[in-house]
Amino acid sequence: MFTVGIDIGSTTCKSVIINDGSIIVGRAIVPFGTGTIGPKRVYQSVLDSCGLSRDDIERTLVTGYGRFTFDDADNQKSEMSCHAKGVNFIIPSARTIIDIGGQDAKALRINPNGMLEDFVMNDKCAAGTGKFLDVMAGILNVKVADLGIISEHSQVEVSISNTCTVFAESEVISKLSMNVAIEDIIAGIHRSVAKKVAALVYRNGIVKDVAMSGGVALNKGVVGAMRKELKTDILVHEDCQLAGALGAALFAWEEAVKANRCSQTQKNNE
Amino acid sequence: MRSVNAIIQELDRIVSHPRVMLEKYLGKGKKVVGCFPIYIPEELVHAGGMIPMGIWGGQVSPAIAGKYSPTFTCSIMRSCMEFGLTGKYQGLSCVLLSVLCDTFRGTSQSWRIGVKDIPIIPFIQPQNRESKAAKEYLIAEYRSVRNRLEEITGCKITDHALSKSIEVYNRHNQTMREFAEVANEHLDVVSAKNRHAVMKSSHFMEKAEHTGIVQELIAGLKALPVCEWKGKKVILTGITAEPNELLDIFTANKIAVVGDDLAQESRQFRTDIPDGDNPMERLTDQWFLRKGCSLVFESHRCRGDMLINQLKENNADGIVVCLMKFCDIEEYEYPIIAQQIEDAGYPTLCIEIDQSTQDNEQSRTKIQSFTEMINDRRP
Ligand code: SF4
């Protein structure tokens, strides 16, 4: 039985198809978020990725910022629950999850069954989110995806002291005009994100293992800075960006099993 | 007899358009006095035959308040300044403000300079409540408020009238507490938004009039069948829980509000004015009886314990902390109460209250996640 999970974020749509709640058979990521063609396209892409059609799909569950706007799903759930479930599937030992999304950052504590025990989410502020990195990459004229690799060459990390994205932007410009090496500036930017997010994580309490999910987890510079800030190891799975979609697919599977069981009982009673 | 829904709709209309009430009272030749949050001895105003009317700001993206209130001023004081500066409070004879935090202090100065046509009467309720001198001080402070009120409005405030007003306020408090209890039997009708409308409308109506309407509502509710609420139940704490769009998110997630510790709502009604012979002393004594509020100093802070009791008494599933943006008083207290509540085995959720934006998406995600979390814990 195939179920689909779709995570409609503010900048990216992710989708996963699983078979019988245990094997990932399809994956897709498109760089368009809610309010664009992203959701429809990611659905088609994930089907194409494993040669399935919509008729093969038992149930679809949607999560993420755009979860209320997608009509083709059977149900929706919050990204908090879906990330908890998804990370629990790929990193079963994780008890603390850090998820840095396009416009928010979250720290979750989960139990061994992948259920949420507690969470904190940043307030309305771009600092410490993917948006902060986007803005900084824009000023530095580099691709966001390259920030991690470039920062690996840093010799001396510079301090970006302003938390506010707008002020940090002018701070970075002034560093550039002082000819500070771009890799050192990027390392400072990563540390700035890590500091902001670490405050959330500390507020929620750290229980090991700590894992990171979401697209920003692919940025090794941010992960390294988070390790330094939290003084603990952080686990990252290659499917980290898909964790929310995976959780959604797992919830869809649980719901489908429950629905099938109900209709079976009903038939038996007839 | 009007239907329960008709009464609630009327109260909701008042909350959405308080200006209509202001015009109504002015039209009747009444003087109206603005009362800033949180604990204003409104009875003095009432005893002078005037109408005390709450000033709690509103959803507005401030355009000119920034001249006096920096961006990191709590959003409620910014919106109050914005409304003051843009003439929304025109018609008030004066405003009363108790300097309970630094933001109030700044606002009292800014108002004086920025809103010249509405005089302000600032005063101080002493935080050192254990000292004997505190009571004498507060009596003197209330006396000067009384004198200033008489001077500005020309309305006489007698001890006899004050005693009568105290009775009106105590009866109103009891009625509001009764409403909170009865509402919990009818959570299908009294949604988070409706509960808020009943509570908040008290700030814009003469208290005896409001008591009458709420008593009519209570009678109407009692006539309805008791509802077995199938969803989850929470207690709200903080300064305010607004706007309606935010409260509707609770309803959409099948969450009912079964109690609150909001400065704008139940904190207003939970402390009666004690008995006694001298009305000024009685009024003062009320300040010394207040407890469990972030704005009132206590050597042993009991807000956490009070919330835990409320959770138990109302069989609630968790606490939602409605944190007023940039309210340092509440922000300092939040981690302490959250820890206490979690140690008692209850979950907490913190949402940001920001009057300067209409955007509730972050709160929507938080409330939905919280609901999913408590559903998993106690299916
Ligand atoms: S107590 Fe908080 S909300 Fe009230 S005025 Fe002071 S800072 Fe603002």
Side-chain angles (χ1 to χ4, degrees):
Chain A
M1 176 167 68
F2 297 108
T3 54
V4 179
I6 302 175
D7 179 359
I8 305 175
S10 54
T11 52
T12 319
C13 288
K14 289 80 60 178
S15 184
V16 164
I17 297 181
I18 55 169
N19 187 8
D20 284 341
S22 56
I23 303 161
I24 301 176
V25 295
R27 297 172 171 83
I29 297 173
V30 300
F32 307 106
T34 182
T36 67
I37 38 144
K40 294 250 176 260
R41 191 176 282 182
V42 82
Y43 197 4
Q44 196 51 54
S45 303
V46 78
L47 290 168
D48 295 346
S49 74
C50 54
L52 292 173
S53 77
R54 288 190 185 209
D55 295 340
D56 301 316
I57 305 301
E58 183 76 17
R59 199 169 172 84
T60 302
L61 194 141
V62 67
T63 186
Y65 186 56
R67 65 192 179 282
F68 296 107
T69 55
F70 188 70
D71 298 332
D72 290 342
D74 300 293
N75 199 2
Q76 56 84 17
K77 244 183 161 56
S78 77
E79 50 264 50
M80 235 75 81
S81 299
C82 289
H83 272 272
K85 190 101 179 155
V87 171
N88 180 254
F89 185 88
I90 50 181
I91 308 176
S93 64
R95 295 293 171 272
T96 299
I97 302 168
I98 302 161
D99 168 35
I100 306 180
Q103 60 171 18
D104 55 27
K106 308 158 198 116
L108 323 175
R109 251 188 15 245
I110 63 169
N111 71 12
N113 302 321
M115 281 174 183
L116 260 187
E117 289 209 314
D118 211 346
F119 66 89
V120 265
M121 186 173 173
N122 70 321
D123 295 322
K124 295 181 200 92
C125 174
T129 72
K131 186 75 193 164
F132 184 84
L133 294 172
D134 288 349
V135 172
M136 296 306 147
I139 317 168
L140 298 170
N141 204 16
V142 299
K143 287 192 191 137
V144 193
D146 294 340
L147 287 173
I149 302 160
I150 301 174
S151 72
E152 280 175 16
H153 303 290
S154 165
Q155 301 289 328
V156 202
E157 175 191 302
V158 299
S159 157
I160 304 293
S161 51
N162 279 299
T163 329
C164 166
T165 310
V166 180
F167 291 137
E169 195 174 343
S170 40
E171 198 176 349
V172 166
I173 292 169
S174 79
K175 300 267 187 242
L176 281 174
S177 64
M178 286 155 63
N179 286 330
V180 177
I182 198 166
E183 53 270 26
D184 293 339
I185 297 178
I186 296 175
I189 289 167
H190 290 160
R191 185 56 88 98
S192 159
V193 169
K195 277 196 177 137
K196 181 95 203 250
V197 177
L200 278 186
V201 183
Y202 280 127
R203 205 154 129 186
N204 204 35
I206 301 177
V207 184
K208 286 185 185 173
D209 289 345
V210 181
M212 258 181 91
S213 64
V216 176
L218 295 170
N219 178 328
K220 287 193 178 137
V222 173
V223 178
M226 284 300 317
R227 283 192 182 114
K228 281 190 203 152
E229 279 303 318
L230 297 176
K231 298 176 190 67
T232 186
D233 192 21
I234 292 174
L235 308 175
V236 179
H237 190 276
E238 56 188 353
D239 280 330
C240 60
Q241 194 174 7
L242 292 164
L246 174 59
L250 288 162
F251 277 121
W253 177 72
E254 284 178 4
E255 289 177 2
V257 169
K258 206 167 158 192
N260 288 349
R261 223 181 271 142
C262 285
S263 61
Q264 196 55 48
T265 321
Q266 217 166 6
K267 266 189 208 148
N268 292 347
N269 289 344
E270 278 164 12
Chain B
M1 195 169 127
R2 288 183 296 172
S3 75
V4 162
N5 279 339
I7 300 171
I8 291 175
Q9 267 170 24
E10 183 193 334
L11 296 177
D12 188 45
R13 251 196 315 274
I14 289 169
V15 168
S16 310
H17 307 285
R19 178 89 213 165
V20 175
M21 294 308 287
L22 176 59
E23 301 285 355
K24 181 184 133 182
Y25 290 123
L26 291 175
K28 283 184 179 170
K30 290 274 183 192
K31 297 248 155 97
V32 183
V33 172
C35 298
F36 270 90
I38 292 177
Y39 302 122
I40 299 295
E42 288 184 22
E43 293 79 356
L44 288 173
V45 180
H46 191 266
M50 301 171 273
I51 305 291
M53 190 162 283
I55 292 187
W56 291 85
Q59 295 305 123
V60 62
S61 177
I64 56 171
K67 189 173 169 195
Y68 298 100
S69 318
T71 13
F72 47 81
T73 309
C74 68
S75 76
I76 191 165
M77 282 304 113
R78 284 197 99 209
S79 68
C80 287
M81 267 320 284
E82 179 75 13
F83 287 162
L85 292 165
T86 51
K88 296 278 185 309
Y89 296 135
Q90 279 294 329
L92 296 179
S93 298
C94 60
V95 292
L96 294 176
L97 180 146
S98 165
V99 181
L100 284 172
C101 74
D102 287 345
T103 310
F104 278 123
R105 189 180 310 279
T107 304
S108 70
Q109 307 294 318
S110 308
W111 187 279
R112 214 191 291 265
I113 295 164
V115 193
K116 291 210 166 66
D117 47 351
I118 306 178
I120 184 165
I121 309 179
F123 60 97
I124 291 178
Q125 289 160 322
Q127 290 293 356
N128 181 355
R129 299 185 304 156
E130 279 156 25
S131 153
K132 263 197 180 160
K135 183 167 171 182
E136 279 170 40
Y137 170 84
L138 188 57
I139 292 180
E141 199 68 352
Y142 280 4
R143 249 193 223 120
S144 86
V145 170
R146 179 175 168 166
N147 294 341
R148 280 290 287 147
L149 266 174
E150 288 183 334
E151 245 171 65
I152 294 172
T153 63
C155 298
K156 191 94 197 98
I157 302 165
T158 65
D159 274 1
H160 177 70
L162 182 55
S163 297
K164 283 197 153 172
S165 294
I166 288 175
E167 297 323 314
V168 168
Y169 271 73
N170 275 351
R171 195 157 345 109
H172 181 257
N173 287 349
Q174 285 150 18
T175 304
M176 295 308 285
R177 294 197 295 262
E178 187 185 356
F179 162 73
E181 264 177 42
V182 174
N184 285 357
E185 309 262 276
H186 303 281
L187 297 171
D188 49 343
V189 181
V190 189
S191 63
K193 180 173 83 178
N194 290 347
R195 188 181 189 281
H196 168 68
V198 179
M199 295 282 183
K200 189 177 177 185
S201 53
S202 67
H203 291 287
F204 309 121
M205 289 179 80
E206 189 278 320
K207 285 295 183 291
E209 193 182 349
H210 193 255
T211 303
I213 294 187
V214 178
Q215 279 173 348
E216 187 187 351
L217 176 63
I218 292 171
L221 285 170
K222 282 183 172 170
L224 298 175
V226 170
C227 151
E228 273 291 329
W229 180 250
K230 296 275 190 299
K232 296 291 171 192
K233 299 175 182 177
V234 296
I235 309 275
L236 306 181
T237 183
I239 303 291
T240 64
E242 298 180 297
N244 279 347
E245 291 72 19
L246 174 78
L247 295 168
D248 282 340
I249 302 175
F250 286 101
T251 311
N253 283 283
K254 298 194 179 62
I255 289 195
V257 175
V258 291
D260 80 86
D261 161 52
L262 296 165
Q264 191 185 54
E265 302 189 8
S266 287
R267 282 190 212 168
Q268 296 291 323
F269 317 120
R270 68 184 178 208
T271 313
D272 285 339
I273 297 170
D275 291 341
D277 299 325
N278 182 328
M280 284 303 274
E281 278 191 31
R282 293 174 68 192
L283 199 55
T284 322
D285 285 341
Q286 185 191 33
W287 169 251
F288 296 93
L289 293 172
R290 295 205 184 274
K291 53 184 185 166
C293 172
S294 51
L295 286 126
V296 181
F297 177 76
E298 287 172 293
S299 42
H300 171 72
R301 302 204 70 74
C302 59
R303 182 171 168 198
D305 293 333
M306 284 170 73
L307 287 169
I308 293 165
N309 284 342
Q310 260 185 298
L311 280 162
K312 289 180 183 157
E313 280 163 15
N314 296 295
N315 195 21
D317 298 281
I319 295 277
V320 179
V321 180
C322 305
L323 200 56
M324 177 62 66
K325 186 166 185 172
F326 294 134
C327 170
D328 45 357
I329 305 271
E330 282 278 298
E331 277 172 6
Y332 278 125
E333 194 154 275
Y334 162 64
I336 304 168
I337 55 166
Q339 189 63 55
Q340 270 180 287
I341 294 158
E342 276 161 30
D343 287 348
Y346 291 96
T348 60
L349 169 70
C350 182
I351 53 175
E352 188 182 69
I353 302 295
D354 185 354
Q355 294 193 333
S356 67
T357 171
Q358 302 287 344
D359 174 29
N360 291 306
E361 284 320 299
Q362 215 128 0
S363 296
R364 189 183 303 284
T365 299
K366 287 184 183 180
I367 294 168
Q368 185 181 358
S369 308
F370 185 71
T371 313
E372 289 165 2
M373 186 176 90
I374 54 181
N375 277 340
D376 281 342
R377 278 193 198 186
R378 290 167 74 178

